[in-house]
Amino acid sequence: MSAASARPAPAAEPALLDRADPEAEIAKAAAAYSNWGRWGAHDVLGTLNFLTPARRLAGAALIRRGEAFSLSQRFDMNGPQRGWRRRTNPVHTMLDTGTDAAAGKQGFPHGIGGADDVIAMPLQCSTQWDGLGHIFDHGMAWNGRAAADTVTSDGDLVTGIEHFAAHLAGRGVLLDVGRVHGDERGELPDGYAITRQDLESTAAAHEVEVRPGDILVVRTGQFARTVREGWGEYAGGPAPGLSLTTAGWLHGTQIAAIATDTWGFEVRPNEFDVPAFQPLHQVAIPNMGLVIGEMWDPEALAADCAADGVYEFFLTAAPLAITGAVGSPVNPIAVK
Amino acid sequence: MSAASARPAPAAEPALLDRADPEAEIAKAAAAYSNWGRWGAHDVLGTLNFLTPARRLAGAALIRRGEAFSLSQRFDMNGPQRGWRRRTNPVHTMLDTGTDAAAGKQGFPHGIGGADDVIAMPLQCSTQWDGLGHIFDHGMAWNGRAAADTVTSDGDLVTGIEHFAAHLAGRGVLLDVGRVHGDERGELPDGYAITRQDLESTAAAHEVEVRPGDILVVRTGQFARTVREGWGEYAGGPAPGLSLTTAGWLHGTQIAAIATDTWGFEVRPNEFDVPAFQPLHQVAIPNMGLVIGEMWDPEALAADCAADGVYEFFLTAAPLAITGAVGSPVNPIAVK
Amino acid sequence: MSAASARPAPAAEPALLDRADPEAEIAKAAAAYSNWGRWGAHDVLGTLNFLTPARRLAGAALIRRGEAFSLSQRFDMNGPQRGWRRRTNPVHTMLDTGTDAAAGKQGFPHGIGGADDVIAMPLQCSTQWDGLGHIFDHGMAWNGRAAADTVTSDGDLVTGIEHFAAHLAGRGVLLDVGRVHGDERGELPDGYAITRQDLESTAAAHEVEVRPGDILVVRTGQFARTVREGWGEYAGGPAPGLSLTTAGWLHGTQIAAIATDTWGFEVRPNEFDVPAFQPLHQVAIPNMGLVIGEMWDPEALAADCAADGVYEFFLTAAPLAITGAVGSPVNPIAVK
Amino acid sequence: MSAASARPAPAAEPALLDRADPEAEIAKAAAAYSNWGRWGAHDVLGTLNFLTPARRLAGAALIRRGEAFSLSQRFDMNGPQRGWRRRTNPVHTMLDTGTDAAAGKQGFPHGIGGADDVIAMPLQCSTQWDGLGHIFDHGMAWNGRAAADTVTSDGDLVTGIEHFAAHLAGRGVLLDVGRVHGDERGELPDGYAITRQDLESTAAAHEVEVRPGDILVVRTGQFARTVREGWGEYAGGPAPGLSLTTAGWLHGTQIAAIATDTWGFEVRPNEFDVPAFQPLHQVAIPNMGLVIGEMWDPEALAADCAADGVYEFFLTAAPLAITGAVGSPVNPIAVK
């Protein structure tokens, strides 16, 4: 059973990449899988347009037991960030505490006391959605807009993540590639490039169909490995992830969004013999308008799916409505 | 039809408050409506215990059209905070921008460019959940724990909001008290104390039943007023809100959580002639273990409910999984 | 006695501004008083070049009593910022506290306890230096560099304030224009444009000479007024300050730096009948390379100067060595 | 020539520590070298009381050439912090940039453009002063105050570092122990406990006298090593530093303040065979009221001192006037 069965076949992607020429490979994929203009000149939703009320309603029908699962990692100092691009782990500090209240230091009447807190964090420090303004291709942002007209120091003036606020609830599908194609622990090795065939055979093994408007969650097992072994280079180092060659599949399936349990969604090191950086992002975000999630924790959900054999569910993963943000932390909730 | 019909009547609350003695009134309500020990000595969920899988499943059945509504205000500098208790509006800054990318300043290969961002914000600056460690009663936190053992400068060591991560999805009910009891715009005046009778008559007007495990959203109309007139003293000034006398109803209905469109959930000024501060919080959070939301934006949902007459829905309002936080920003998603 | 006596007369500035044409007035002054290239193509110090070791040594000779004065306002939430350009007041939070230590919550051995803290603040929220990358003129930064090549999201890549680190110690002169030209309280009214004549007559009244390499402190009295009356619109509203027509004097005196007790250094509203914004900044920073300080608190020093009649002193005002910053908080120390 | 020659001999310190009993050793030193009450019950300055105007004036006489040296490390993400106690490196972000200005995105009139920035940082992330509220001894803060009455979540309510604002300018002395007692590079090995004898012989080698009211800078060479080899465990790992046995010397010399080029001032690992943490801090800050600086960069100054043989200078090291802070970043300026 393939994702293609329910709709026109996606454009065929090249079987092989020219590993010496990332710019050409990216350009080819960008041209082949662009969605610029597909939803009009003023679009700010990208592939979230595929997530229609009808498809959301269909997703709701998957709630059969009422069990809820959080797919969020913890937000705290014990995170993977090491400062690359000034990304730190979240710094959570208290404005008021129980020790203060107990010591009688708060000055409130009738015995009330309180605690309050503050956070400072990069919006992409942990479990997150990338906004459409997160990545540019040769100075162009999603839907053919100039990057310089879209994201300034004031934030994303056009496609800020606040536009996603009400949209990210729908049918969720877990593709546990780690379990199907990985080692005995259900983990893919770092550097493993997940192909279209891997995705389709995983769906087949799960007896689940990928449909337009879906929010896919791809489990590689890398996060589980960090839980066991420590963060190591999770934030930017080698990792399993999607191959650039999956761009056509991502386009053709008409999924609304896709998230992984890795830092960077796509395989790392990237699939070129010359300097390259996140080529699938460059195709998917500015050209395809694909909504990408990273650093999710699918472990509890994956264990449940493995136990009951049901890999589809209702998924709500609402970003914070931060005006002009190009990313947002999120606590995705799957309900089965 | 009243909320009481489906279960034992809640304990009667006093019809009148002694406006000279907040401490005694709070003590009475705290004693009458305490849930300490109800879910064992180790409980970290409070009234979220009422939100069982069966009740979540029942809530899912309310999704009939697949329409989704965000109940979040925007997170940005144009917010209501004015510095009280060092609460600022969110400060969102960019680490990388489209103008940089367009100017060729990013140093990435093959034409990829990016934007990244950071936020610094109080966790209760805008649409939010209060955690169980947010309020103390005479040095005691939820479930009878010492405040000083619970919330230190390291955060809430016991009942941090990360424990809520997977729980806040279930049946939502909107009680649009503003529309039922307010002015022609559907707004209650500042200082209006919402009573049990108001809540029950609103539910009756909506032909909706409040059930155990529900997540209630109470609309006063104050937020709509700020949209029209500017923030003014929204963050801490006079506001409509729940009366302290509703404590018994909040306890008896066995709701899982309740949120309002105001800064402080309860009526302000508080209902005493002597200095008082958020007495209903003091009863509800540390004693009852009630999960409270504030600063929600119910406007789009309320308009839809008024249009179709359906005031129940599936609501997912997942806090960020911030370790040890006593509150969390949230983007609540109602699906009808 | 005038500043001009010790060196060649500064270029004459126009007596009158064309209040309808800020762009032309700025262009004229920028051309007349540009220092581009004066200290070579690679200069990162601007007018700090005037502060030579010999002049610093002369300043040191002014220390006669050993009395020290801080010219810093307090950094805390009770500040003037109201969110314009996302400038907040400083948010200072604790990582550890004495209440925690006293409650035995810190886990340290042998009875040691500690407190630690964090700050989040705009670098120009209170007493500060402007860096050379703070202002641009038609896309050009100090010394004729393209603004886009100088200050990106990574900060000021060329003239970051860290380059000032060792330089800002030298001869300080207080020009208490408020005391000489203001009301009985020694305060200039908001909107008062301080002219070259005001500066020179103040120096004459003080019997102090302005010399090359000096760090000038100009007191308007506006800060004293806010201490008495509250912040009001201190951060960006009407204020006394330097007239655009002082540009020639600022250039000709060869001062190293100049600071005021106001938010914006120059008079506000600005001296034009059409929309204008900080025109003297536009001349002084990118064209002249002048180092400007704002929001200083000269009150204690000014009282002492009035008492002993000595308006010159040794001044150390070292910015934090923040890599790439375009401004820095500072605690200026005058020693007499 | 020794520090002791000019004044009464300091109390003799124990030649040897009982390495099994830090609590007893700390208690002995705390009792022997306490300054509680020395400057009255309301004191907030500790040993800064020793830095009188007369001594500041004497320090000013040391300015002979007008050369200034910054003793600050750089504040940026390339710092030593690794998250211990939530201490991160500074996160500096831009509110406005030159790329924005050049792209015409700022909306200002007459060609003016601007850049603005924000910082979030622990106050002790880099070159800093410890405030008197930074360390407690068995729940007691400086001058015999209860820690819980002194430092709450609102900060240091009594001895906040803003009280130091005008005081830290005076005679500075560099003791380059690394150069005198270290290896051929002038560096002490990690774990090297600097003794009173080391300090006195270094002063003798430098032909400089340590006097009451001095601000001492002790160079171990460890910072120079990190410049060459990378940060490694600079923030909390093994380091050269003062021995606990120097407490008596620190007390007897009546110095106003002392700073080192290391993270933690005292030798690490600490000098005990059982768990111990910063015992000299526990004696020096809450008991002696000693003002301690850490993470200074003395390299440029030390090279100059070695070259001209003059190890005394005028030093201004003014902390930011952050209300209630228990530490502050600082850019110390030595002028010779």
Side-chain angles (χ1 to χ4, degrees), chain D residues 89 121 136 144 221 223 225 246 273 325:
Chain D
N89 294 305
M121 62 175 169
F136 314 114
F223 176 68
R225 188 155 59 242
T246 62
D273 299 326

Side-chain angles (χ1 to χ4, degrees), chain A residues 200-218:
Chain A
E200 294 189 343
S201 58
T202 298
H206 293 344
E207 298 184 8
V208 72
E209 194 175 334
V210 175
R211 297 181 185 149
D214 280 356
I215 304 168
L216 291 198
V217 182
V218 174

Side-chain angles (χ1 to χ4, degrees), chain B residues 121-186:
Chain B
M121 64 175 169
L123 292 173
Q124 309 208 357
C125 61
S126 184
T127 306
Q128 114 249 358
W129 284 119
D130 287 350
L132 291 176
H134 176 48
I135 298 291
F136 314 115
D137 181 7
H138 291 87
M140 300 303 283
W142 162 240
N143 219 25
R145 298 180 182 99
D149 292 339
T150 306
V151 186
T152 71
S153 297
D154 287 327
D156 186 329
L157 310 173
V158 182
T159 44
I161 209 155
E162 72 275 16
H163 296 290
F164 289 1
H167 290 270
L168 276 153
R171 180 174 182 256
V173 168
L174 175 69
L175 295 185
D176 193 342
V177 184
R179 191 171 302 264
V180 174
H181 291 287
D183 62 17
E184 69 288 348
R185 284 182 164 121

Side-chain angles (χ1 to χ4, degrees), chain B residues 77, chain C residues 81-89 122 124-125 128 130 134 263 294-295, chain D residues 95 115-117:
Chain B
M77 281 300 287
Chain C
Q81 303 297 338
R82 295 181 162 191
W84 182 78
R85 285 172 85 75
R86 285 173 287 169
R87 285 192 192 159
T88 64
N89 293 305
Q124 309 209 358
C125 62
Q128 114 250 357
D130 288 350
H134 177 49
W263 172 84
E294 288 158 338
M295 302 181 66
Chain D
L95 294 166
D116 235 37
D117 39 13

Side-chain angles (χ1 to χ4, degrees), chain D residues 88-143:
Chain D
T88 63
N89 294 305
V91 179
H92 170 234
T93 58
M94 302 305 294
L95 294 166
D96 302 284
T97 63
T99 43
D100 281 6
K105 301 299 173 192
Q106 299 191 322
F108 287 123
H110 54 67
I112 193 172
D116 235 37
D117 39 13
V118 172
I119 204 159
M121 62 175 169
L123 292 172
Q124 310 208 358
C125 61
S126 185
T127 306
Q128 113 251 358
W129 283 119
D130 288 349
L132 291 176
H134 177 47
I135 297 291
F136 314 114
D137 180 7
H138 291 87
M140 299 304 283
W142 161 240
N143 219 26

Side-chain angles (χ1 to χ4, degrees), chain A residues 77 82-97 99-100 103 105 120 148-154 157, chain D residues 77 82-97 99-100 103 105 120 148-154 157:
Chain A
M77 281 299 287
R82 295 183 161 189
W84 183 80
R85 285 172 87 76
R86 285 174 287 168
R87 286 192 191 159
T88 63
N89 294 307
V91 179
H92 170 234
T93 58
M94 301 305 295
L95 294 166
D96 302 285
T97 63
T99 45
D100 281 6
K105 300 300 172 191
D149 292 339
T150 306
V151 186
T152 72
S153 296
D154 287 328
L157 309 173
Chain D
M77 281 299 288
R82 295 181 162 190
W84 182 79
R85 286 172 86 75
R86 285 172 288 167
R87 285 192 191 157
T88 63
N89 294 305
V91 179
H92 170 234
T93 58
M94 302 305 294
L95 294 166
D96 302 284
T97 63
T99 43
D100 281 6
K105 301 299 173 192
D149 292 339
T150 307
V151 186
T152 72
S153 297
D154 286 328
L157 310 172

Side-chain angles (χ1 to χ4, degrees), chain B residues 77 82-84 86-89 91-97 100 103 105 120 148-149 151-154 157, chain C residues 77 82-84 86-89 91-97 100 103 105 120 148-154 157:
Chain B
M77 281 300 287
R82 295 180 161 193
W84 183 78
R86 285 172 289 167
R87 286 192 191 158
T88 63
N89 294 305
V91 179
H92 171 233
T93 58
M94 301 306 294
L95 293 167
D96 302 284
T97 63
D100 282 6
K105 300 299 173 193
D149 292 339
V151 186
T152 71
S153 297
D154 287 327
L157 310 173
Chain C
M77 280 301 287
R82 295 181 162 191
W84 182 78
R86 285 173 287 169
R87 285 192 192 159
T88 64
N89 293 305
V91 179
H92 171 234
T93 58
M94 302 305 293
L95 293 167
D96 302 284
T97 63
D100 281 5
K105 301 298 173 194
D149 292 338
T150 306
V151 186
T152 72
S153 297
D154 287 327
L157 310 173

